[in-house]
Amino acid sequence: QVQLVESGGGLVQAGGSRRLACAASGTIFRLRAMAWYRQAPGKPRELVATITSGGSTNYADSVKGRFTISRDNAKNTVYLQMNSLKYEDTAVYYCNMYGGFLDYWGQGPQVTVSS
């Protein structure tokens, strides 16, 4: 059974940094594409960043240049490094494993950016 366990959420000041981690188990992680989504109160869930099994990345325009998605296949973990955080980055952040019939989600840690 695939499990995604996230860590790294919390409170951070505007302009600060935070790194989220998502550890996967129950699958061959290195073969899987991964993504980070977020959902702010009263708003739909939005795609933040993706990374393929080969390491190619893509970002939402709102985070481009500030956030970096990466993966460590030896640790079965995907990361989201968030720099220059803004108040509007406040959201619940979800890790997602996708592709083919795969669609698994992490529990969604809260990231709160104080202005």
Side-chain angles (χ1 to χ4, degrees):
Q1 183 177 354
V2 175
Q3 285 191 317
L4 302 176
V5 179
E6 300 170 9
S7 60
L11 178 65
V12 61
Q13 287 189 331
S17 298
R18 198 82 179 180
R19 188 177 80 159
L20 302 179
C22 172
S25 62
T27 185
I28 305 175
F29 177 78
R30 61 181 173 83
L31 300 181
R32 308 305 180 205
M34 302 294 297
W36 287 96
Y37 285 77
R38 67 185 181 185
Q39 187 167 20
K43 294 187 178 180
R45 190 172 296 188
E46 65 169 341
L47 179 63
V48 175
T50 63
I51 185 166
T52 67
S53 58
S56 296
T57 59
N58 202 5
Y59 298 91
D61 287 342
S62 59
V63 306
K64 205 170 289 185
R66 301 188 297 121
F67 289 12
T68 302
I69 188 171
S70 62
R71 64 191 299 155
D72 184 338
N73 290 336
K75 295 182 178 180
N76 289 355
T77 300
V78 62
Y79 301 96
L80 184 68
Q81 177 67 45
M82 305 182 291
N83 298 329
S84 301
L85 282 162
K86 304 175 182 179
Y87 175 76
E88 50 264 40
D89 294 319
T90 296
V92 176
Y93 283 75
Y94 297 93
C95 170
N96 173 242
M97 178 181 289
Y98 68 96
F101 294 103
L102 297 176
D103 188 23
Y104 296 98
W105 295 86
Q107 77 275 18
Q110 172 74 41
V111 175
T112 301
V113 183
S114 62
S115 58

